[in-house]
Short mmCIF file of all heavy atoms in Angstrom, two decimals:
data_model
loop_
_atom_site.label_atom_id
_atom_site.label_comp_id
_atom_site.label_asym_id
_atom_site.label_seq_id
_atom_site.Cartn_x
_atom_site.Cartn_y
_atom_site.Cartn_z
N GLY A 128 37.56 -208.17 -125.85
CA GLY A 128 36.52 -207.17 -126.09
C GLY A 128 37.10 -205.77 -126.27
O GLY A 128 36.65 -205.00 -127.11
N ARG A 129 38.12 -205.46 -125.47
CA ARG A 129 38.77 -204.14 -125.61
C ARG A 129 39.47 -204.02 -126.96
O ARG A 129 39.48 -202.95 -127.57
CB ARG A 129 39.75 -203.92 -124.47
CG ARG A 129 39.06 -203.60 -123.15
CD ARG A 129 40.04 -203.54 -122.00
NE ARG A 129 39.36 -203.20 -120.76
CZ ARG A 129 39.86 -203.47 -119.55
NH1 ARG A 129 41.02 -204.08 -119.41
NH2 ARG A 129 39.17 -203.13 -118.47
N LEU A 130 40.05 -205.11 -127.42
CA LEU A 130 40.67 -205.10 -128.75
C LEU A 130 39.64 -204.75 -129.83
O LEU A 130 39.89 -203.90 -130.69
CB LEU A 130 41.29 -206.48 -129.03
CG LEU A 130 41.86 -206.72 -130.43
CD1 LEU A 130 43.08 -205.84 -130.68
CD2 LEU A 130 42.26 -208.19 -130.62
N TYR A 131 38.47 -205.39 -129.75
CA TYR A 131 37.45 -205.18 -130.79
C TYR A 131 36.76 -203.83 -130.68
O TYR A 131 36.12 -203.39 -131.63
CB TYR A 131 36.44 -206.33 -130.78
CG TYR A 131 37.00 -207.56 -131.46
CD1 TYR A 131 37.65 -208.54 -130.73
CD2 TYR A 131 36.95 -207.69 -132.85
CE1 TYR A 131 38.21 -209.65 -131.35
CE2 TYR A 131 37.50 -208.79 -133.48
CZ TYR A 131 38.12 -209.76 -132.73
OH TYR A 131 38.67 -210.84 -133.36
N THR A 132 36.86 -203.17 -129.50
CA THR A 132 36.24 -201.86 -129.36
C THR A 132 37.29 -200.74 -129.41
O THR A 132 36.99 -199.60 -129.08
CB THR A 132 35.43 -201.77 -128.05
OG1 THR A 132 36.26 -202.20 -126.96
CG2 THR A 132 34.21 -202.67 -128.11
N GLY A 133 38.51 -201.11 -129.80
CA GLY A 133 39.54 -200.09 -130.01
C GLY A 133 40.10 -199.48 -128.74
O GLY A 133 40.64 -198.37 -128.77
N GLN A 134 39.97 -200.18 -127.62
CA GLN A 134 40.53 -199.67 -126.37
C GLN A 134 41.93 -200.23 -126.13
O GLN A 134 42.33 -201.21 -126.73
CB GLN A 134 39.61 -200.06 -125.22
CG GLN A 134 38.22 -199.45 -125.32
CD GLN A 134 37.34 -199.85 -124.16
OE1 GLN A 134 37.55 -199.45 -123.03
NE2 GLN A 134 36.35 -200.67 -124.44
N ARG A 135 42.64 -199.61 -125.18
CA ARG A 135 43.97 -200.08 -124.83
C ARG A 135 43.87 -201.46 -124.20
O ARG A 135 43.03 -201.70 -123.33
CB ARG A 135 44.59 -199.09 -123.82
CG ARG A 135 46.02 -199.40 -123.50
CD ARG A 135 46.64 -198.28 -122.70
NE ARG A 135 46.47 -198.51 -121.28
CZ ARG A 135 47.09 -197.79 -120.34
NH1 ARG A 135 47.88 -196.78 -120.69
NH2 ARG A 135 46.90 -198.04 -119.07
N THR A 136 44.72 -202.36 -124.64
CA THR A 136 44.63 -203.74 -124.18
C THR A 136 45.93 -204.46 -124.49
O THR A 136 46.83 -203.89 -125.11
CB THR A 136 43.44 -204.45 -124.86
OG1 THR A 136 43.27 -205.73 -124.27
CG2 THR A 136 43.66 -204.62 -126.36
N PHE A 137 46.05 -205.69 -124.04
CA PHE A 137 47.15 -206.54 -124.49
C PHE A 137 46.68 -207.31 -125.73
O PHE A 137 45.72 -208.06 -125.67
CB PHE A 137 47.56 -207.53 -123.40
CG PHE A 137 48.05 -206.86 -122.16
CD1 PHE A 137 47.30 -206.87 -121.00
CD2 PHE A 137 49.27 -206.18 -122.17
CE1 PHE A 137 47.75 -206.22 -119.85
CE2 PHE A 137 49.73 -205.53 -121.02
CZ PHE A 137 48.96 -205.56 -119.86
N VAL A 138 47.37 -207.10 -126.82
CA VAL A 138 47.02 -207.79 -128.06
C VAL A 138 47.69 -209.17 -128.04
O VAL A 138 48.87 -209.28 -127.68
CB VAL A 138 47.51 -206.98 -129.28
CG1 VAL A 138 47.18 -207.71 -130.57
CG2 VAL A 138 46.89 -205.60 -129.27
N PRO A 139 46.95 -210.25 -128.41
CA PRO A 139 47.55 -211.59 -128.41
C PRO A 139 48.88 -211.61 -129.19
O PRO A 139 49.04 -210.91 -130.19
CB PRO A 139 46.48 -212.45 -129.09
CG PRO A 139 45.19 -211.77 -128.71
CD PRO A 139 45.51 -210.30 -128.73
N CYS A 140 49.81 -212.41 -128.69
CA CYS A 140 51.22 -212.27 -129.09
C CYS A 140 51.52 -212.70 -130.53
O CYS A 140 52.31 -212.04 -131.21
CB CYS A 140 52.09 -213.02 -128.10
SG CYS A 140 51.90 -212.35 -126.42
N THR A 141 50.92 -213.79 -130.99
CA THR A 141 51.21 -214.21 -132.37
C THR A 141 50.69 -213.18 -133.38
O THR A 141 51.44 -212.75 -134.27
CB THR A 141 50.69 -215.63 -132.64
OG1 THR A 141 51.36 -216.53 -131.75
CG2 THR A 141 50.94 -216.06 -134.07
N PRO A 142 49.44 -212.72 -133.27
CA PRO A 142 48.97 -211.68 -134.18
C PRO A 142 49.83 -210.41 -134.13
O PRO A 142 50.15 -209.82 -135.16
CB PRO A 142 47.54 -211.39 -133.69
CG PRO A 142 47.11 -212.65 -133.04
CD PRO A 142 48.35 -213.25 -132.42
N LEU A 143 50.22 -210.04 -132.92
CA LEU A 143 51.07 -208.85 -132.78
C LEU A 143 52.42 -209.06 -133.46
O LEU A 143 52.95 -208.15 -134.12
CB LEU A 143 51.25 -208.56 -131.28
CG LEU A 143 51.72 -207.18 -130.86
CD1 LEU A 143 50.79 -206.09 -131.40
CD2 LEU A 143 51.78 -207.08 -129.33
N GLY A 144 52.96 -210.28 -133.34
CA GLY A 144 54.22 -210.60 -134.00
C GLY A 144 54.10 -210.56 -135.52
O GLY A 144 54.99 -210.08 -136.22
N ILE A 145 52.97 -211.06 -136.02
CA ILE A 145 52.73 -211.03 -137.47
C ILE A 145 52.71 -209.58 -137.97
O ILE A 145 53.30 -209.25 -139.00
CB ILE A 145 51.39 -211.74 -137.80
CG1 ILE A 145 51.50 -213.24 -137.49
CG2 ILE A 145 50.99 -211.50 -139.26
CD1 ILE A 145 50.17 -213.99 -137.52
N MET A 146 52.05 -208.70 -137.20
CA MET A 146 51.97 -207.30 -137.61
C MET A 146 53.35 -206.66 -137.61
O MET A 146 53.66 -205.82 -138.46
CB MET A 146 51.01 -206.52 -136.69
CG MET A 146 49.57 -207.00 -136.73
SD MET A 146 48.83 -207.13 -138.39
CE MET A 146 48.65 -205.40 -138.79
N GLU A 147 54.20 -207.07 -136.67
CA GLU A 147 55.56 -206.55 -136.61
C GLU A 147 56.34 -206.99 -137.86
O GLU A 147 57.05 -206.18 -138.48
CB GLU A 147 56.25 -207.03 -135.34
CG GLU A 147 57.62 -206.41 -135.09
CD GLU A 147 57.62 -204.90 -135.04
OE1 GLU A 147 56.64 -204.30 -134.57
OE2 GLU A 147 58.64 -204.30 -135.49
N LEU A 148 56.18 -208.23 -138.26
CA LEU A 148 56.83 -208.70 -139.49
C LEU A 148 56.33 -207.90 -140.69
O LEU A 148 57.12 -207.50 -141.56
CB LEU A 148 56.53 -210.19 -139.71
CG LEU A 148 57.24 -211.18 -138.78
CD1 LEU A 148 56.63 -212.57 -138.93
CD2 LEU A 148 58.74 -211.23 -139.08
N LEU A 149 55.02 -207.67 -140.73
CA LEU A 149 54.44 -206.97 -141.88
C LEU A 149 54.88 -205.51 -141.97
O LEU A 149 54.86 -204.93 -143.05
CB LEU A 149 52.90 -207.09 -141.86
CG LEU A 149 52.36 -208.47 -142.25
CD1 LEU A 149 50.85 -208.55 -141.98
CD2 LEU A 149 52.64 -208.76 -143.73
N LYS A 150 55.27 -204.94 -140.83
CA LYS A 150 55.79 -203.56 -140.86
C LYS A 150 57.00 -203.45 -141.78
O LYS A 150 57.29 -202.38 -142.31
CB LYS A 150 56.20 -203.12 -139.46
CG LYS A 150 55.06 -202.58 -138.63
CD LYS A 150 55.57 -201.97 -137.34
CE LYS A 150 54.40 -201.71 -136.41
NZ LYS A 150 54.86 -201.62 -135.01
N HIS A 151 57.71 -204.57 -141.93
CA HIS A 151 58.91 -204.57 -142.78
C HIS A 151 58.59 -204.67 -144.28
O HIS A 151 59.50 -204.72 -145.09
CB HIS A 151 59.84 -205.71 -142.35
CG HIS A 151 60.41 -205.49 -140.99
ND1 HIS A 151 61.70 -205.06 -140.78
CD2 HIS A 151 59.85 -205.59 -139.76
CE1 HIS A 151 61.92 -204.93 -139.48
NE2 HIS A 151 60.82 -205.25 -138.84
N THR A 152 57.30 -204.71 -144.61
CA THR A 152 56.93 -204.86 -146.02
C THR A 152 56.24 -203.61 -146.57
O THR A 152 55.80 -203.59 -147.72
CB THR A 152 55.95 -206.05 -146.22
OG1 THR A 152 54.69 -205.72 -145.61
CG2 THR A 152 56.50 -207.31 -145.57
N GLY A 153 56.09 -202.57 -145.74
CA GLY A 153 55.42 -201.35 -146.20
C GLY A 153 53.99 -201.25 -145.71
O GLY A 153 53.54 -202.08 -144.93
N SER A 154 53.27 -200.25 -146.21
CA SER A 154 51.91 -199.99 -145.74
C SER A 154 50.93 -201.08 -146.19
O SER A 154 51.03 -201.62 -147.29
CB SER A 154 51.43 -198.64 -146.29
OG SER A 154 50.03 -198.51 -146.09
N LEU A 155 49.97 -201.38 -145.32
CA LEU A 155 48.94 -202.37 -145.65
C LEU A 155 47.66 -201.71 -146.18
O LEU A 155 46.73 -202.40 -146.61
CB LEU A 155 48.61 -203.20 -144.40
CG LEU A 155 49.74 -204.12 -143.96
CD1 LEU A 155 49.57 -204.51 -142.50
CD2 LEU A 155 49.78 -205.37 -144.84
N GLU A 156 47.62 -200.40 -146.14
CA GLU A 156 46.42 -199.67 -146.56
C GLU A 156 45.97 -200.08 -147.96
O GLU A 156 46.76 -200.05 -148.91
CB GLU A 156 46.70 -198.16 -146.52
CG GLU A 156 45.62 -197.33 -147.15
CD GLU A 156 45.06 -196.26 -146.23
OE1 GLU A 156 45.61 -196.02 -145.16
OE2 GLU A 156 44.04 -195.67 -146.63
N GLY A 157 44.71 -200.47 -148.07
CA GLY A 157 44.15 -200.81 -149.37
C GLY A 157 44.53 -202.20 -149.88
O GLY A 157 44.05 -202.62 -150.93
N LYS A 158 45.36 -202.92 -149.14
CA LYS A 158 45.75 -204.26 -149.61
C LYS A 158 44.65 -205.26 -149.30
O LYS A 158 43.93 -205.15 -148.31
CB LYS A 158 47.06 -204.70 -148.94
CG LYS A 158 48.28 -203.94 -149.44
CD LYS A 158 49.54 -204.82 -149.35
CE LYS A 158 50.68 -204.25 -150.16
NZ LYS A 158 51.36 -203.13 -149.53
N SER A 159 44.53 -206.26 -150.16
CA SER A 159 43.60 -207.36 -149.89
C SER A 159 44.38 -208.48 -149.21
O SER A 159 45.48 -208.84 -149.65
CB SER A 159 42.98 -207.86 -151.20
OG SER A 159 43.99 -208.33 -152.08
N VAL A 160 43.82 -208.99 -148.12
CA VAL A 160 44.52 -210.00 -147.33
C VAL A 160 43.63 -211.22 -147.13
O VAL A 160 42.47 -211.10 -146.73
CB VAL A 160 44.91 -209.46 -145.94
CG1 VAL A 160 45.75 -210.49 -145.17
CG2 VAL A 160 45.65 -208.14 -146.03
N ALA A 161 44.17 -212.39 -147.41
CA ALA A 161 43.50 -213.65 -147.06
C ALA A 161 44.11 -214.15 -145.77
O ALA A 161 45.32 -214.41 -145.71
CB ALA A 161 43.69 -214.68 -148.17
N VAL A 162 43.28 -214.23 -144.72
CA VAL A 162 43.72 -214.86 -143.47
C VAL A 162 43.08 -216.25 -143.45
O VAL A 162 41.86 -216.37 -143.57
CB VAL A 162 43.28 -214.06 -142.24
CG1 VAL A 162 43.55 -214.83 -140.95
CG2 VAL A 162 43.97 -212.70 -142.20
N ILE A 163 43.91 -217.27 -143.35
CA ILE A 163 43.38 -218.64 -143.39
C ILE A 163 43.46 -219.23 -141.99
O ILE A 163 44.55 -219.36 -141.42
CB ILE A 163 44.15 -219.52 -144.38
CG1 ILE A 163 44.32 -218.77 -145.72
CG2 ILE A 163 43.46 -220.86 -144.58
CD1 ILE A 163 45.15 -219.52 -146.74
N GLY A 164 42.29 -219.58 -141.44
CA GLY A 164 42.22 -220.08 -140.06
C GLY A 164 41.47 -219.08 -139.20
O GLY A 164 41.82 -217.91 -139.19
N ARG A 165 40.43 -219.56 -138.48
CA ARG A 165 39.56 -218.63 -137.74
C ARG A 165 39.65 -218.78 -136.23
O ARG A 165 38.69 -218.53 -135.52
CB ARG A 165 38.11 -218.80 -138.22
CG ARG A 165 37.61 -220.23 -138.14
CD ARG A 165 36.18 -220.40 -138.67
NE ARG A 165 35.95 -221.78 -139.07
CZ ARG A 165 34.79 -222.27 -139.47
NH1 ARG A 165 33.73 -221.51 -139.52
NH2 ARG A 165 34.68 -223.53 -139.81
N SER A 166 40.81 -219.20 -135.71
CA SER A 166 40.93 -219.36 -134.25
C SER A 166 40.93 -218.01 -133.56
O SER A 166 41.23 -216.98 -134.17
CB SER A 166 42.23 -220.09 -133.91
OG SER A 166 43.32 -219.19 -133.96
N HIS A 167 40.60 -218.02 -132.27
CA HIS A 167 40.63 -216.74 -131.54
C HIS A 167 42.03 -216.42 -131.02
O HIS A 167 42.26 -215.38 -130.41
CB HIS A 167 39.59 -216.70 -130.41
CG HIS A 167 39.85 -217.63 -129.28
ND1 HIS A 167 39.37 -218.92 -129.25
CD2 HIS A 167 40.54 -217.47 -128.14
CE1 HIS A 167 39.77 -219.50 -128.13
NE2 HIS A 167 40.47 -218.65 -127.44
N ILE A 168 42.96 -217.32 -131.29
CA ILE A 168 44.36 -217.10 -130.90
C ILE A 168 45.12 -216.39 -132.02
O ILE A 168 45.99 -215.56 -131.79
CB ILE A 168 45.06 -218.46 -130.62
CG1 ILE A 168 44.25 -219.33 -129.67
CG2 ILE A 168 46.50 -218.26 -130.17
CD1 ILE A 168 44.26 -218.88 -128.24
N VAL A 169 44.83 -216.75 -133.26
CA VAL A 169 45.57 -216.20 -134.41
C VAL A 169 44.65 -215.55 -135.45
O VAL A 169 44.66 -214.33 -135.64
CB VAL A 169 46.46 -217.26 -135.10
CG1 VAL A 169 47.26 -216.62 -136.23
CG2 VAL A 169 47.42 -217.92 -134.11
N GLY A 170 43.84 -216.34 -136.12
CA GLY A 170 43.12 -215.87 -137.30
C GLY A 170 42.23 -214.66 -137.03
O GLY A 170 42.34 -213.63 -137.69
N GLN A 171 41.34 -214.79 -136.04
CA GLN A 171 40.41 -213.70 -135.75
C GLN A 171 41.13 -212.42 -135.34
O GLN A 171 40.87 -211.36 -135.92
CB GLN A 171 39.43 -214.11 -134.64
CG GLN A 171 38.39 -215.10 -135.10
CD GLN A 171 37.38 -215.42 -133.99
OE1 GLN A 171 36.44 -216.15 -134.23
NE2 GLN A 171 37.54 -214.90 -132.79
#
Side-chain angles (χ1 to χ4, degrees):
Chain A
R129 285 174 179 158
L130 174 66
Y131 282 93
T132 51
Q134 297 180 69
R135 187 170 90 170
T136 187
F137 298 109
V138 178
C140 300
T141 299
L143 198 56
I145 293 169
M146 297 308 288
E147 187 57 33
L148 287 168
L149 286 171
K150 276 189 192 158
H151 293 257
T152 69
S154 168
L155 291 159
E156 170 125 10
K158 288 210 165 78
S159 60
V160 185
V162 171
I163 313 176
R165 54 182 157 174
S166 80
H167 68 270
I168 310 287
V169 183
Q171 287 183 176

